[in-house]
Amino acid sequence: MNPDEQSSKAIGPIIGISFAILAFLFWLIYFKTPAYSDAGWVKTLPTILASLNAVSACCLAVGLVAIKRGIKRVHIASMISATVSSAVFLILYIIYHHYHGNTKFLGEGIIRPIYFFILISHILLSVVVVPLIFLTLWFAKTKRYDRHKRIAKWTFPIWMYVSVTGILVYLILNTFNAA
Ligand code: HEM
């Protein structure tokens, strides 16, 4: 099998795994009855989740600047750190939603359409970004840098958007639901 065929063979499993993760999250958030908990550590999870989004966004930015300057070692380390931070995010997100269902937004007025635009675009793009991250990493691992670069042109801005809007959703909820 030539490297191109070997590289392409992974696309099916990557899309399958991404779909399984997303289907599980959909069930967890919208269908599973939450195991409600008052524990302090559960209440701190949204702040930790928003911080992990911030870490991913910073690592992505450093990784892009590094590869633009030709510093491959920093690019690789930053992108792997962004992936680890997003993976830890996903694990804690699952734990949080095991205890806590969907959060109702209590804000009124102009902030409502703004919040829902950010939230809905965040959710839709987070669905798209999961297989894109896997594929970008896979093409880097298999040294198909032409494909890596082509797909990363989409992965990078979408991942950045999802990370930054994740922080915004947290900040808006904290401001308007606390009021
Ligand atoms: C999912 C995480 C990653 C993202 C989002 C990403 C993003 C990017 C982007 C946007 C470029 C093109 C930069 C330009 O416009 O010039 C690029 C190039 C590159 N990336 Fe990544 N990268 C990731 C992970 C990796 C990993 C893990 C490796 C190494 C194993 C790697 C190695 C490279 C190399 C060598 C190039 C330069 C390719 C060339 O110029 O021919 N990347 N990456």
Side-chain angles (χ1 to χ4, degrees):
M1 207 187 304
N2 68 40
D4 225 11
E5 281 170 347
Q6 194 197 358
S7 196
S8 303
K9 263 198 119 171
I11 294 174
I14 284 174
I15 291 176
I17 292 166
S18 306
F19 183 78
I21 293 172
L22 296 165
F24 172 72
L25 288 177
F26 190 69
W27 167 79
L28 181 74
I29 297 168
Y30 296 107
F31 291 97
K32 180 186 168 294
T33 309
Y36 293 107
S37 164
D38 268 346
W41 68 270
V42 175
K43 289 186 185 145
T44 63
L45 282 176
T47 308
I48 296 171
L49 291 170
S51 309
L52 286 166
N53 272 321
V55 171
S56 295
C58 292
C59 292
L60 285 173
V62 171
L64 185 70
V65 172
I67 199 67
K68 293 278 185 202
R69 294 185 177 179
I71 318 169
K72 284 189 188 164
R73 231 161 27 94
V74 175
H75 173 68
I76 296 169
S78 305
M79 292 313 190
I80 290 175
S81 303
T83 307
V84 170
S85 161
S86 289
V88 174
F89 169 91
L90 188 61
I91 292 164
L92 294 181
Y93 186 80
I94 289 170
I95 293 173
Y96 179 68
H97 281 287
H98 168 67
Y99 290 110
H100 201 282
N102 207 3
T103 305
K104 241 191 151 124
F105 182 53
L106 306 177
E108 302 278 358
I110 186 69
I111 192 64
R112 274 192 92 75
I114 296 173
Y115 171 77
F116 283 108
F117 175 81
I118 294 174
L119 180 67
I120 291 165
S121 60
H122 171 81
I123 293 170
L124 293 177
L125 288 174
S126 62
V127 169
V128 177
V129 85
V130 173
L132 284 179
I133 293 172
F134 285 141
L135 286 169
T136 308
L137 288 172
W138 175 253
F139 289 135
K141 187 191 172 295
T142 53
K143 298 191 171 23
R144 291 304 319 267
Y145 295 120
D146 51 339
R147 287 181 163 205
H148 173 74
K149 256 175 103 163
R150 238 184 298 143
I151 200 157
K153 293 229 152 79
W154 294 95
T155 312
F156 178 85
I158 296 175
W159 195 353
M160 185 61 100
Y161 182 87
V162 169
S163 301
V164 171
T165 50
I167 304 167
L168 289 178
V169 166
Y170 165 79
L171 292 175
I172 297 175
L173 276 177
N174 240 19
T175 308
F176 290 87
N177 277 13

